[in-house]
Amino acid sequence: MCARSVVWAGGVEIGGGDFVVMAGPCAVESEQQLLRTAESVAKAGARILRGGAYKPRSSPYAFQGLGLEGLKILRKAQEETGLAIVTEVMSEEDVDLVAEYADLMQVGTRSMENYALLERLGGCGRPVLLKRGMTATLEELLRSAQVIAMNGNSHIVLCERGIRTFETATRNTLDISAVPVLKAVAHLPVIVDPSHAAGVRSLVPVLSRAAAVVGADGLLVEVHPSPDQAMSDGPQSLTFHQFRDMMSDLQPFLDLMTRQAARQQMGPHLVAVGGADSCGRGPSPSGCSR
Ligand code: PEP
Ligand code: MN
C-alpha cells in the first residue's frame, strides 16, 4: 500500500495523523468579529482560521464579502493568534492576491468545475482545499483534483460538504461514505464540512463526530460571535460556547479512531468500490467507478 499524502498549510500538517479543525465565520465581516472568533477557536483547539473575503452567494443581492479588506483582516488575525488561514478564491484573476494572504486556498462547491480557476491554482504555490460540487460525484471531484495536480500542484485536501438530494430536512445531505471511499481510492487528505451539509447548527456536533469516526483528517466548521446577526450562514454557525463543547466532546471519538487504526491498517482492501489506489499518479478519476 502506498503512503498517504500529507499537506502542509502554513505550519499545520493535514493528513498526518492529527485531526485538524478549521473554524471561523462564513464571511469576514469586521476586524472585531474576526479577531474575537480567532482567539476563541484557537483556545478551543482549532489550528486553522476560516473566513470568506470573497463570497459566492446564491443571490446577487446577498453580502458578497469584503474582498481585499477581508484578506487584510485575516492577516491581522493570523499575526495575533498564529492560526493558519483558509479562505476562498472564486476567480482565476484573484489567485495571486489571495495566495499572498492564504495558507490554504479554498475552492467552493460552486467552483469545483471552474477549470480556468483550477488550472491557475496549479501554479499558485499554496495548497488547495477542494470542496465537492453540490451535484458532483466523487469521480468528478477527483477529476477536478487531477486538473490542479496536472498543472503542477499536488498539495490538495478534499472536502465533503454535503450534496443535493431529494431530502429537504437538511440544507444538503452529508455523504459520510465519501470519506472512506475517497481515502481508499486516492492518497489525499479528506476533511468534512458539517456546517454546509447540515444548514442548522444543532446537527453540526453530531456530524462532526461521525466525520471523526469514519476517518476524516479534519473539519471545516462555521463559528460566529453572534450567529443570529451573521451576514451569511448564521443558522448553521456555532456560538463560541457550542464550538468549545463540540471540541471537547470529539476527543473520545478521536481516541477511539487512534486505537482502531493501531489495530488495523485502513486501506483500499476495506472498500467495496473498484479501482486501484492512485499512488504516485495523483488521484485517479477511474478509481471511483464501478
Ligand atoms: C463556505 O465555506 O462558506 C462556502 C461557501 O462553502 P460551499 O462552497 O461548500 O458552499
Ligand atoms: Mn458559509
Side-chain angles (χ1 to χ4, degrees):
M1 189 171 64
C2 69
R4 303 207 59 80
S5 294
V6 298
V7 171
W8 286 89
V12 181
E13 190 189 43
I14 306 167
D18 283 353
F19 191 74
V20 175
V21 178
M22 312 177 191
C26 178
V28 180
E29 297 168 7
S30 70
E31 187 171 311
Q32 204 219 31
Q33 170 239 20
L34 192 72
L35 293 186
R36 283 186 59 207
T37 309
E39 277 163 23
S40 180
V41 299
K43 224 163 142 191
R47 310 276 308 281
I48 300 183
L49 177 65
R50 64 148 292 147
Y54 296 90
K55 293 305 303 172
R57 304 306 301 284
S58 300
S59 162
Y61 304 107
F63 176 57
Q64 306 291 312
L66 296 179
L68 177 58
E69 191 193 337
L71 294 176
K72 289 181 177 165
I73 295 173
L74 285 163
R75 164 78 46 85
K76 182 141 196 219
Q78 174 169 53
E79 287 165 357
E80 299 214 350
T81 60
L83 291 169
I85 300 295
V86 58
T87 194
E88 177 158 356
V89 58
M90 289 171 56
S91 151
E92 71 268 24
E93 286 156 21
D94 296 332
V95 165
D96 291 340
L97 178 67
V98 175
E100 277 180 44
Y101 293 85
D103 297 297
L104 182 58
M105 309 280 280
Q106 178 174 325
V107 175
T109 194
R110 295 161 189 79
S111 301
M112 191 206 83
E113 288 184 320
N114 178 345
Y115 290 107
L117 174 62
L118 301 178
E119 283 167 15
R120 279 287 285 112
L121 286 166
C124 75
R126 295 273 186 240
V128 176
L129 175 63
L130 180 63
K131 297 186 96 173
R132 180 180 185 180
M134 62 183 88
T135 58
T137 64
L138 297 179
E139 182 173 343
E140 288 161 346
L141 172 64
L142 291 170
R143 221 181 278 154
S144 290
Q146 199 149 43
V147 173
I148 303 169
M150 283 177 68
N151 281 276
N153 187 356
S154 57
H155 305 285
I156 303 164
V157 179
L158 303 171
C159 180
E160 163 59 36
R161 48 79 71 200
I163 51 174
R164 260 199 191 153
T165 66
F166 50 81
E167 183 53 72
T168 54
T170 49
R171 179 175 176 177
N172 291 286
T173 297
L174 180 62
D175 179 9
I176 200 70
S177 60
V179 177
V181 171
L182 287 170
K183 293 196 76 162
V185 299
H187 53 86
L188 301 170
V190 182
I191 68 162
V192 167
D193 172 349
S195 307
H196 291 85
V200 288
R201 74 180 68 99
S202 60
L203 291 177
V204 170
V206 71
L207 297 186
S208 297
R209 293 197 287 273
V213 168
V214 295
D217 296 294
L219 298 172
L220 182 70
V221 183
E222 289 186 336
V223 180
H224 194 282
S226 35
D228 293 341
Q229 267 80 55
M231 296 175 88
S232 62
D233 286 349
Q236 67 196 33
S237 300
L238 299 179
T239 64
F240 294 168
H241 181 76
Q242 288 167 332
F243 181 69
R244 243 188 347 259
D245 285 353
M246 184 192 93
M247 291 294 276
S248 50
D249 291 347
L250 266 178
Q251 200 49 54
F253 295 88
L254 296 170
D255 294 343
L256 182 75
M257 278 312 284
T258 313
R259 283 204 304 280
Q260 191 174 313
R263 275 204 303 274
Q264 59 180 195
Q265 279 274 43
M266 293 281 280
H269 55 285
L270 291 179
V271 172
V273 294
D277 198 1
S278 56
C279 183
R281 288 181 285 114
S284 163
S286 60
C288 274
S289 56
R290 281 178 189 276

